[in-house]
Amino acid sequence: MTKETKQTEKVWFVTGASKGLGADLVKQLLADGYRVAATSRKREALTEAIGVQENFLALNMDVSNDSDVKGVIGQVIDKFGRIDVIVNNAGYSQIGAVEELSAEEVQRNFDVNVFGPLHVIRHAAPYLRAQRSGHIFNIASIGGFVGNYPAFGIYCATKFAMAGYTEALAVEMAPFGVHTTLVYPGYFRTSFLEKDSAMLPANAIDAYANAREVEAQHLNEISGRQPNDPKKAASAFIELSKQKQPPVHFFVGVDTAALVKGKIEIIENALAANLELTESTGITE
């Protein structure tokens, strides 16, 4: 077999694939000849977006339901006999200042964005370990590295959480030949900021003018004008999956480099400003 034939024998599993980056990725994978299983809360939305194909398995899945995820992973194995590349893409943005969001709103965002991918990893990992190969893509956000956005604190917190466990996962899975990549996308021109995807606070507090300003900016000015093409992101993910040593951290988007460098500068300056105090706690004999 040629190397390319081996590549296209890989089975991809993509969550949150009925629209946006997930849908574009699935379409490109199928066009390239890969076998693909994909999920959505409504299976019909997947077939409408992508169609019916022999190498495509469309599945209904509630990513926040552990037993549901386990059953779906089993269906993928039953259909294709293996699973090779996982893309934890399902998620949504809960907008709102930290104080004004209810416990229920916060919990739901964590259930989908944090615990959902963990369910997938937990039930797919035994197959990846057994075959001693695989690649897990956890789709975070630039908001999982830079969190100083009023009205997006909880969403950023979910992505910071994903970043934390993905770093650990990368070293835990490495001995089994399984690669792990944490993806930090910038702003991509998808429906992510549209009303059916971004959730507004149920009980907004008028005092948070800065949160309302940033919220309005995202919904009215940034939405539909994002600088990045999700089709190009899909191509980038496929290229990463072919690398022998793919990165653990991958920032994607023309708007990400400046934000990353800015955050690093802030941290370096904060460390330097109080370095003597930072190191003043050591035990002296």
Side-chain angles (χ1 to χ4, degrees):
M1 291 184 182
T2 66
K3 184 176 180 181
E4 186 63 27
T5 301
K6 290 180 180 179
Q7 277 291 328
T8 55
E9 285 181 348
K10 290 181 178 179
V11 175
W12 286 63
F13 179 70
V14 184
T15 69
S18 62
K19 56 186 176 181
L21 194 153
D24 284 325
L25 175 59
V26 170
K27 290 174 185 176
Q28 186 60 58
L29 288 168
L30 291 170
D32 290 351
Y34 289 93
R35 294 175 291 172
V36 182
T39 74
S40 174
R41 287 174 297 174
K42 296 181 179 179
R43 183 178 179 275
E44 297 78 11
L46 277 172
T47 54
E48 287 176 10
I50 296 163
V52 178
Q53 301 186 38
E54 182 180 355
N55 284 344
F56 177 52
L57 179 63
L59 296 162
N60 187 81
M61 187 179 81
D62 177 359
V63 73
S64 67
N65 185 314
D66 184 59
S67 61
D68 199 15
V69 173
K70 181 178 181 179
V72 165
I73 294 290
Q75 290 182 60
V76 177
I77 299 299
D78 289 343
K79 169 70 174 179
F80 295 120
R82 60 185 295 119
I83 188 167
D84 297 283
V85 184
I86 293 166
V87 183
N88 279 312
N89 176 65
Y92 73 95
S93 178
Q94 175 62 66
I95 297 173
V98 172
E99 178 191 350
E100 66 189 356
L101 291 178
S102 68
E104 291 76 18
E105 288 171 308
V106 173
Q107 184 67 56
R108 177 59 182 164
N109 208 199
F110 271 79
D111 283 344
V112 174
N113 292 8
V114 178
F115 298 112
L118 282 172
H119 296 329
V120 173
I121 291 164
R122 186 181 306 113
H123 296 300
Y127 299 103
L128 302 182
R129 286 191 293 103
Q131 66 196 30
R132 302 193 71 81
S133 67
H135 195 161
I136 299 169
F137 286 92
N138 282 340
I139 311 302
S141 165
I142 190 60
F145 189 80
V146 181
N148 58 340
Y149 302 105
F152 285 87
I154 294 303
Y155 171 73
C156 289
T158 67
K159 296 304 183 178
F160 268 78
M162 174 183 270
Y165 68 66
T166 301
E167 288 191 354
L169 181 70
V171 292
E172 290 169 355
M173 297 298 286
F176 308 106
V178 179
H179 301 297
T180 306
T181 298
L182 174 62
V183 181
Y184 304 87
Y187 285 114
F188 279 80
R189 198 166 297 180
T190 69
S191 61
F192 185 71
L193 290 173
E194 294 178 4
K195 291 182 179 180
D196 63 337
S197 297
M199 301 298 292
L200 297 176
N203 296 293
I205 298 174
D206 292 341
Y208 284 105
N210 57 354
R212 298 291 81 77
E213 181 180 349
V214 172
E215 174 187 305
Q217 180 186 34
H218 279 75
L219 298 179
N220 302 327
E221 299 175 24
I222 295 175
S223 183
R225 297 180 177 87
Q226 298 96 322
N228 294 293
D229 184 347
K231 294 183 175 62
K232 292 181 178 179
S235 297
F237 294 166
I238 295 170
E239 287 305 308
L240 286 174
S241 75
K242 297 177 182 179
Q243 293 182 2
K244 290 184 178 180
Q245 292 297 328
V248 173
H249 298 272
F250 179 62
F251 295 92
V252 58
V254 297
D255 50 342
T256 58
L259 291 169
V260 171
K261 291 176 182 177
K263 174 64 178 284
I264 292 172
E265 182 179 1
I266 289 171
I267 297 299
E268 288 180 338
N269 289 342
L271 180 63
N274 285 285
L275 185 58
E276 184 177 349
L277 186 59
T278 294
E279 297 180 340
S280 68
T281 58
I283 296 174
T284 55
E285 301 298 337

